[in-house]
């Protein structure tokens, strides 16, 4: 859920005492700017690098996380060869509408 969903998870755990998570708790709309980064030709890179692919991906992830954080954003989610990044609106605070 990343930075934007942390408060939803916190509220859910508080409501259920952490015993049974209720997956259907209503969410909230988060206002922000979202970016998506995808590694081009990832399959080709995997074939060339083989077991070193994780070193490659970790290098990309480190650069991406630092760059996003340095620009007041949050690396939100990683899905293999792609990342979701988020920048909150309203002076660094996530706002709901």
């Amino acid at each position: 859920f990343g930075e934007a969903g942390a408060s939803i998870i916190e509220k859910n755990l508080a409501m259920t005492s952490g015993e049974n998570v209720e997956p259907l708790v209503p969410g909230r709309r988060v206002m922000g700017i979202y970016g998506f980064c995808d590694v081009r030709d990832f399959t080709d890179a995997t074939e060339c690098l083989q077991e070193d692919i994780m070193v490659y991906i970790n290098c990309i992830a480190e650069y991406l996380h630092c760059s996003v954080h340095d620009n007041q954003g949050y690396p939100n989610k990683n899905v293999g060869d792609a990342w979701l990044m988020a920048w909150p609106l309203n002076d660094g605070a996530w706002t709901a509408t």
Side-chain angles (χ1 to χ4, degrees):
F1 293 99
E3 183 72 25
S7 63
I8 295 170
I9 294 170
E10 180 181 13
K11 180 180 175 183
N12 192 318
L13 291 174
M15 289 173 35
T16 62
S17 301
E19 295 170 7
N20 296 315
V21 175
E22 175 56 53
L24 300 178
V25 170
R28 62 188 178 108
R29 184 170 295 174
V30 177
M31 303 302 292
I33 298 170
Y34 298 87
F36 187 77
C37 176
D38 184 57
V39 177
R40 184 178 292 184
D41 298 324
F42 182 71
T43 302
D44 295 338
T46 302
E47 289 174 8
C48 291
L49 295 173
Q50 296 179 5
E51 66 271 359
D52 290 331
I53 192 67
M54 290 307 298
V55 174
Y56 177 65
I57 287 296
N58 286 339
C59 287
I60 293 171
E62 182 179 5
Y63 178 81
L64 183 123
H65 279 238
C66 290
S67 297
V68 171
H69 186 264
D70 288 349
N71 289 285
Q72 291 76 49
Y74 299 94
N76 193 281
K77 188 173 193 169
N78 170 251
V79 208
D81 65 338
W83 290 266
L84 175 66
M85 299 144 307
W87 286 266
L89 296 178
N90 192 18
D91 297 327
W94 294 105
T95 57
T97 60

